[in-house]
Amino acid sequence: MPRYASPEEPLPPSAERATVVFGANPLRGAIIRLLALNPEGMTSGAIQRELNTTYQTVFRHLQEMESTGIVTSDAGEKRQGQRVIYVLDSSALRAALHGYEAYLLGG
């Protein structure tokens, strides 16, 4: 897998299996986990440095997750020149996980 698409540290076996089973992006999972471990939030640059990957890739994932509601930011509509803090909405993440589980199990 190309360097930009995977976190530097290997995933635990159970998480690795889940990414294969569900076709999940391991870097997106690493971003979610990092935000979960830092409830005060993080900037995209801090996430990029922590995961040792490209800024553009991290930023794209953050934008997509923000559009789904599992990540929020303090940016408002003006993003240029700001230090934007991204925060995981754990209740939205749990709801998404629960909805997917219900679908998979025929609920």
Side-chain angles (χ1 to χ4, degrees):
M1 190 177 299
R3 172 71 212 112
Y4 63 85
S6 181
E8 189 171 75
E9 293 186 26
L11 296 172
S14 61
E16 178 69 32
R17 186 172 194 289
T19 63
V20 172
V21 168
F22 300 116
N25 184 302
L27 181 57
R28 185 169 291 197
I31 293 169
I32 292 169
R33 184 172 194 277
L34 191 56
L35 288 174
L37 294 171
N38 293 278
E40 71 284 355
M42 297 180 74
T43 64
S44 53
I47 294 168
Q48 176 265 321
R49 286 186 297 278
E50 182 74 25
L51 298 177
N52 193 28
T53 189
T54 67
Y55 175 81
Q56 294 82 2
T57 301
V58 168
F59 185 69
R60 179 180 49 83
H61 282 296
L62 287 168
Q63 285 184 311
E64 290 174 7
M65 290 188 291
E66 191 174 14
S67 74
T68 67
I70 68 162
V71 170
T72 61
S73 76
D74 64 354
E77 293 184 21
K78 298 181 181 180
R79 291 185 182 266
Q80 292 184 340
Q82 287 192 21
R83 182 180 154 105
V84 178
I85 304 293
Y86 294 91
V87 177
L88 179 68
D89 183 335
S90 57
S91 63
L93 176 62
R94 284 187 184 92
L97 289 168
H98 178 73
Y100 192 51
E101 178 185 39
Y103 167 76
L104 291 174
L105 299 177

